[in-house]
Amino acid sequence: TIGNSLLSSVFTNSSILLNSGLNLNLGITAQHFSLNYNYSIEPRIALIKNLGENHTLGLAYGLHSRIESLNIYFNNSLISGEKAVNKNLDFTKSHHLVFSYDWSISDLLHLKIEPYFQFLYEVPVIDNSSFSAINIQSDWFFAEKMVNKGKGRNYGLDLTFEKYMSNGFYFISTASIFNAKYKGGDN
């Protein structure tokens, strides 16, 4: 099947200084997928607390959504012969919750520690199969019908340590430890 589509996205974000050390960021993103007229409204909120000049704590929540690769929507089933079997797939959605600690160690050194949790839902899966779109790595030969019934959960910790540019030298070092699980169409 040959076709085209358009993903439109608009957003707004406001930052409100609540007091001398507390900042509130509020935002909303809206997306529309013209292929199947699905849309998503995604709120975002973050609270950031300055603890002196060099330390910051943050807590953020956001609803995020995404479409799959376009070829997934236009696939023809190899089993049934049905055309564009995934044309009506909805967005995959995810609730994100992040806690952050920032430390400006010096003018040149910075450390960030971020524990996070994500709950994914409406993930495309194949009914009665362990397959989930979460696990697609190479989709060139994928051609089966999916439904938005899958789920997933991720939690972990991200660490970032960086040295800003000085004397022609800089670096950034990152590490992650995480746990990721999913439910396919067979639960």
Side-chain angles (χ1 to χ4, degrees):
T1 302
I2 296 173
N4 57 59
S5 188
L6 176 68
L7 177 66
S8 302
S9 181
V10 296
F11 71 93
T12 183
N13 189 61
S14 296
S15 186
I16 303 163
L17 185 61
L18 299 176
N19 64 38
S20 62
L22 191 60
N23 199 40
L24 176 66
N25 291 332
L26 296 171
I28 192 159
T29 296
Q31 296 191 91
H32 178 263
F33 189 36
S34 69
L35 179 68
N36 54 25
Y37 305 106
N38 285 330
Y39 66 91
S40 178
I41 308 282
E42 306 165 9
R44 315 274 165 85
I45 185 169
L47 196 58
I48 297 114
K49 174 70 175 165
N50 291 329
L51 304 172
E53 287 184 29
N54 300 327
H55 303 275
T56 304
L57 292 178
L59 182 62
Y61 164 80
L63 175 62
H64 299 264
S65 63
R66 71 164 205 195
I67 62 171
E68 302 304 318
S69 299
L70 279 180
N71 58 315
I72 297 289
Y73 296 92
F74 293 109
N75 280 343
N76 300 325
S77 174
L78 297 175
I79 296 172
S80 70
E82 184 182 350
K83 304 287 185 198
V85 292
N86 296 313
K87 182 178 179 183
N88 293 317
L89 280 177
D90 203 350
F91 290 92
T92 296
K93 296 186 176 86
S94 178
H95 295 287
H96 291 209
L97 186 62
V98 179
F99 177 77
S100 64
Y101 169 69
D102 268 283
W103 178 20
S104 293
I105 300 167
S106 71
D107 288 343
L108 297 175
L109 296 175
H110 176 244
L111 175 69
K112 186 175 220 176
I113 302 170
E114 294 180 303
Y116 66 88
F117 178 82
Q118 300 171 325
F119 173 70
L120 294 86
Y121 62 103
E122 294 187 17
V123 177
V125 296
I126 297 175
D127 256 342
N128 302 313
S129 165
S130 63
F131 178 86
S132 172
I134 289 174
N135 299 321
I136 292 178
Q137 296 204 5
S138 174
D139 58 2
W140 289 105
F141 301 105
F142 181 81
E144 294 311 321
K145 185 170 188 163
M146 293 191 283
V147 293
N148 290 98
K149 293 185 352 185
K151 294 181 180 178
R153 173 192 44 76
N154 304 314
Y155 62 87
L157 178 70
D158 290 339
L159 302 169
T160 304
F161 181 61
E162 61 187 316
K163 178 194 172 294
Y164 301 122
M165 178 72 77
S166 67
N167 301 322
F169 176 72
Y170 71 95
F171 69 82
I172 185 166
S173 178
T174 62
S176 291
I177 185 167
F178 63 91
N179 183 303
K181 301 217 184 256
Y182 79 96
K183 285 187 180 183
D186 61 357
N187 283 320

